[in-house]
Amino acid sequence: MQSNSKIEQSLAVMKENGLKYTKKREAMITYLIRRNRYVSAREVYEFMNQEFNGVSYDTIYRNLHDFADFELLETTDLNGEKKFRFRCCHEVGHHHHFICTVCGKTKEIHMCPMDFFKEQLNGCEIEGHRFEIFGRCEECR
């Protein structure tokens, strides 16, 4: 999917969820699409402060959480910090990630180990799960 189409889809999802269009929101989602890896709120803030001098960190943080609530972003905790990644507008189904601990690059894993665990937890009701593999990517090895 083209980057412009992802941006347009994301802006439509924001509008559907009651967020007004702003150049800042478009710039944030564009940045996240282009980064294509998990990034911290601080990284987004530093980028946005270059583009929109004086932007509030709280505004960036609140918008990132709104975007995650609308399922535009995936989140993870990496090294004790919440990180955000563009979710591809639902074009990819259920999946997990390999995350490089050096550069943050991610690779999608298109299988889920939960089938194995469900067999081990007979009679239990599983309400959710997270599965991520951490290591060094090809470039960082």
Side-chain angles (χ1 to χ4, degrees):
M1 179 182 292
Q2 292 286 353
S3 180
N4 285 344
S5 179
K6 291 178 185 177
I7 295 165
E8 290 170 11
Q9 277 189 330
S10 298
L11 294 172
V13 169
M14 288 179 214
K15 184 177 180 181
E16 289 168 12
N17 285 280
L19 288 184
K20 294 180 181 177
Y21 168 82
T22 67
K23 289 184 186 261
K24 289 177 188 172
R25 287 186 177 124
E26 182 175 356
M28 282 180 67
I29 207 73
T30 300
Y31 173 78
L32 290 158
I33 290 168
R34 290 190 178 142
R35 294 301 294 163
N36 194 29
R37 65 175 180 83
Y38 282 102
V39 296
S40 67
R42 174 73 46 199
E43 288 175 83
V44 177
Y45 169 75
E46 289 171 359
F47 166 77
M48 291 295 290
N49 201 37
Q50 290 174 359
E51 300 293 311
F52 302 92
N53 192 24
V55 68
S56 161
Y57 181 81
D58 289 341
T59 297
I60 300 303
Y61 197 77
R62 187 173 47 255
N63 275 284
L64 288 170
H65 281 274
D66 285 345
F67 296 170
D69 288 346
F70 305 153
E71 297 185 346
L72 292 172
L73 304 180
E74 297 172 317
T75 63
T76 192
D77 290 308
L78 185 58
N79 300 325
E81 183 178 22
K82 189 170 211 92
K83 304 272 183 151
F84 303 86
R85 178 177 187 252
F86 185 71
R87 191 170 184 231
C88 306
C89 291
H90 310 284
E91 63 191 30
V92 177
H94 181 78
H95 64 281
H96 298 282
H97 296 109
F98 167 85
I99 304 170
C100 180
T101 56
V102 176
C103 71
K105 179 179 176 181
T106 62
K107 293 185 176 204
E108 292 173 354
I109 301 169
H110 295 283
M111 62 84 61
C112 182
M114 284 308 294
D115 292 335
F116 170 77
F117 293 114
K118 284 178 185 175
E119 293 173 10
Q120 303 292 314
L121 299 169
N122 192 13
C124 295
E125 181 180 334
I126 299 168
E127 295 178 353
H129 69 280
R130 291 178 57 173
F131 180 77
E132 296 164 327
I133 299 173
F134 300 96
R136 293 178 183 238
C137 70
E138 300 87 357
E139 289 93 33
C140 295
R141 280 188 48 200

